[in-house]
Amino acid sequence: MIDVAWVGAVCAALAWSGLVRDGGGPAVIAGVRAAAATPDEEHPRFLALSVSDAPEDVITVIRAGARGYVTKAISAADLTDAIEPVLSLRMLDAAGVSPDARVVDVGGGTSRLVDSLLARGHHDVTVVDVSDVALGIAKRRLGCDAARVHWVHADARTWSPGRTFDVWHDRAVMHFLTSAADLQRYLHTLNTATGPGAVAVFGCFAPEGPTHCSGLPVMRRDAEDLAEVLGPQWSLVTADRELHATPGGAEQPFTWAAFVRSGAAVGVQGGA
């Protein structure tokens, strides 16, 4: 893996020397790859940072090879998560999830968790999202690696998986389900898609978090609340908190928790 600082230095050197001229992000990507002269599997990965969020600019740099795209308004916390989803990975590690685990990221959309899972050696990863547009962005970001992922355009409340998974990951999906009927449909999918020993990871607004997100009401929970919702067949493994900083400077407290379903473990390391 090429050092990020080295890549940044090469980008600056290329720009300073005029090698990228007015080519923008795509020229930087092409220039760094040419300068690196490494085998394909060792090529650096790119996250584009720009002042523009115009769709044509995003599409151009993603097609050129960038794995993601953020603007200068992004917070430090969001930028870190754009590079690697720290809390998600921390929960998976605490639960002892191995690369052999069959993972489904529910509401994964444009999340970069799938990138990290592939980089860790996972070979059975499914991403489910209600937005086909979001899935398309993720596929373009991954490029050739997209073929290594199962992509499902579906609503978790009505999805019929047709198989089971060792790991269920949900960042900010369940907390949008404010009606008992929707929550029960979601839980039915969760319990149908998992078996004994499965791990479930949730990220949701904490009790003191906002009451609405994107104009929609949300449920706020701590780890104990999540345990009560899931029922006695799910046992808490670990929990954590995250302060998510918005572009406007506000802080949104998140609850993170990992659970294991009662029974023998499958696809996880001993001690999960």
Side-chain angles (χ1 to χ4, degrees), residues 99-132:
D100 292 329
R102 299 163 294 180
V103 182
V104 58
D105 186 13
V106 178
T110 60
S111 166
R112 292 169 178 82
L113 176 61
V114 62
D115 306 55
S116 296
L117 292 175
L118 294 178
R120 286 177 163 216
H122 285 265
H123 51 79
D124 190 342
V125 180
T126 299
V127 178
V128 180
D129 201 275
V130 72
S131 170
D132 201 31

Side-chain angles (χ1 to χ4, degrees), residues 182-204:
D182 281 343
L183 181 58
Q184 287 306 310
R185 284 193 285 265
Y186 173 95
L187 293 175
H188 174 75
T189 305
L190 164 64
N191 291 322
T192 300
T194 58
V199 169
V201 172
F202 299 94
C204 66

Side-chain angles (χ1 to χ4, degrees), residues 149-171:
V149 179
H150 306 289
W151 304 94
V152 179
H153 178 209
D155 186 324
R157 295 169 295 183
T158 56
W159 178 43
S160 298
R163 59 172 298 196
T164 58
F165 299 89
D166 303 315
V167 179
W168 175 283
H169 177 275
D170 169 351
R171 182 191 183 279

Side-chain angles (χ1 to χ4, degrees), residues 195-263:
V199 169
V201 172
F202 299 94
C204 66
F205 283 137
E208 68 275 28
T211 59
H212 289 71
C213 182
S214 301
L216 298 173
V218 296
M219 299 297 293
R220 301 173 295 171
R221 298 183 174 101
D222 58 20
E224 289 71 25
D225 296 329
L226 287 170
E228 183 176 351
V229 168
L230 295 175
Q233 69 269 38
W234 291 94
S235 300
L236 181 64
V237 175
T238 189
D240 206 338
R241 283 175 53 85
E242 174 189 19
L243 281 179
H244 171 75
T246 69
E251 290 187 337
Q252 298 176 333
F254 259 74
T255 294
W256 281 92
F259 297 82
V260 64
R261 189 167 176 177
S262 58

Side-chain angles (χ1 to χ4, degrees), residues 3-14 32:
D3 184 78
V4 173
W6 180 87
V7 173
V10 172
C11 289
L14 288 169
V32 171

